[in-house]
Amino acid sequence: REHTSSPVLTEVSETMFSIPPASGATPPAFGGTSRGGEATSTTGNNANGGSPMVLTGESSTQVIDSMHSDYIFKVAFDTYGRRMATCSADRFVRLWDLQDTGEWALVGQWQAHRGAVTSLAFAHPEFGHLLATCGSDHDAIIWEERTSHGAGPTNSLSSRWTACASLTDARRAVTCLEFAPRHWGLKLAVGSADGSVRIYEAVDIMNLAQWPLAATLPSQNHISSLSWCTGRFEPLTLVAGGSHLVIYRYIESARAWKSLMELPTSSDVLDVAWAPNVGRRFHYIAATSDDGQLRVYKLSRKI
């Protein structure tokens, strides 16, 4: 989709936070103060006149036995927040649905990769029930939930997750992936330890077996994380972190992805997030690095 205006990111300002080492005490949720089994927000009433957030441990916290036998790398919710997925070094993905009772129930599990499953992401439901996973086996896989009627007298519905496409272009472990905002169609960005971000697109959403490689973004030494810009009036843009922290943008006139700018960092980037666009005339990008620093970048927009 071509936009009539193409905002340019300018005037990067940087805020840096030093993350203190753990002291053995559990930090309160939402940056608030802790008392007993509660964590409370210190931000006061919100802009809509609401009350501060309060988390009461006994009534509001459900401890779930993940049943994973190794380190859990990622947890993700679907669009509606009623389904949750986890992935682990044990090679398994597990799915949990929120029941009417408020409990989370295990509804699916399968071995998704030949090695550790390093990340996963749900697609927007307008494209169907899709889950993307990636792993240390160098692959990213698109899974689709398919339902069928049971053979018993109850004729109840059952579902299973089927691999409909494998993306095998990475030369080293695939470390991160994320679906593009839905207004850009069914696109998936995949980052790898080989230093590349690859963009795949399901051109025909009725044929999910075909995910042609649309672009390979300029290489870094390695990629650990990525995040899409969600602004509806922005060109197709994402940020990728690893050995560097780089913003990439699709340039319509050149019909190609370009490196737009590199953000300053002092160390390898471990994770990055692009804040949702809510009408501001600037963007926030937050990044963590292996030197224990959290940096928040404010990027101005010039039309």
Side-chain angles (χ1 to χ4, degrees), residues 11-16 263-266 294-298:
E11 301 178 16
V12 178
S13 62
E14 177 186 356
T15 304
M16 185 171 66
L263 301 176
T265 61
S266 61
L294 167 64
R295 290 175 169 82
V296 179
Y297 306 87
K298 181 179 177 181

Side-chain angles (χ1 to χ4, degrees), residues 125-163:
E126 80 172 47
F127 302 115
H129 297 284
L130 302 180
L131 178 72
T133 65
C134 60
S136 61
D137 56 2
H138 305 187
D139 293 346
I141 301 177
I142 311 297
W143 304 87
E144 182 181 20
E145 184 180 27
R146 298 176 180 174
T147 58
S148 60
H149 288 279
T154 60
N155 198 29
S156 60
L157 284 174
S158 62
S159 67
R160 62 189 179 93
W161 288 81
T162 303

Side-chain angles (χ1 to χ4, degrees), residues 15 38 46 51 59 62 89 99 117-118 140 170 214 217 226-227 268 272:
T15 304
E38 296 186 353
N46 60 34
S51 300
S59 61
Q62 179 184 353
Q99 308 299 300
V117 188
T118 53
L217 276 55
L226 56 85
S227 185
D268 283 0
V272 64

Side-chain angles (χ1 to χ4, degrees), residues 138-142 165-170 174 188 190 200 211-212:
H138 305 187
D139 293 346
I141 301 177
I142 311 297
S166 294
L167 314 177
T168 59
D169 298 285
V174 181
L188 180 70
V190 177
Y200 297 88
W211 287 75

Side-chain angles (χ1 to χ4, degrees), residues 8-58:
V8 177
L9 302 179
T10 61
E11 301 178 16
V12 178
S13 62
E14 177 186 356
T15 304
M16 185 171 66
F17 303 90
S18 180
I19 304 173
S23 61
T26 303
F30 312 117
T33 58
S34 177
R35 55 177 188 271
E38 296 186 353
T40 62
S41 169
T42 59
T43 56
N45 291 355
N46 60 34
N48 297 321
S51 300
M53 291 182 177
V54 178
L55 174 65
T56 303
E58 293 182 359

Side-chain angles (χ1 to χ4, degrees), residues 231-254:
R232 292 188 64 89
F233 301 103
E234 297 281 6
L236 200 56
T237 309
L238 62 80
V239 60
S243 52
H244 304 278
L245 186 59
V246 181
I247 296 176
Y248 300 96
R249 171 167 287 177
Y250 184 75
I251 307 300
E252 186 69 35
S253 59

Side-chain angles (χ1 to χ4, degrees), residues 30-110:
F30 312 117
T33 58
S34 177
R35 55 177 188 271
E38 296 186 353
T40 62
S41 169
T42 59
T43 56
N45 291 355
N46 60 34
N48 297 321
S51 300
M53 291 182 177
V54 178
L55 174 65
T56 303
E58 293 182 359
S59 61
S60 303
T61 303
Q62 179 184 353
V63 179
I64 301 172
D65 180 4
S66 73
M67 290 181 277
H68 286 293
S69 61
D70 209 333
Y71 188 85
I72 297 175
F73 282 105
K74 183 79 172 182
V75 58
F77 285 103
D78 71 353
T79 300
Y80 301 116
R82 297 191 62 86
R83 171 163 284 179
M84 180 172 60
T86 57
C87 63
S88 168
D90 65 7
R91 303 177 294 174
F92 273 77
V93 166
R94 287 184 166 84
L95 288 177
W96 314 79
D97 278 357
L98 182 62
Q99 308 299 300
D100 292 338
T101 61
E103 300 292 308
W104 290 92
L106 180 68
V107 294
Q109 57 182 326
W110 67 93

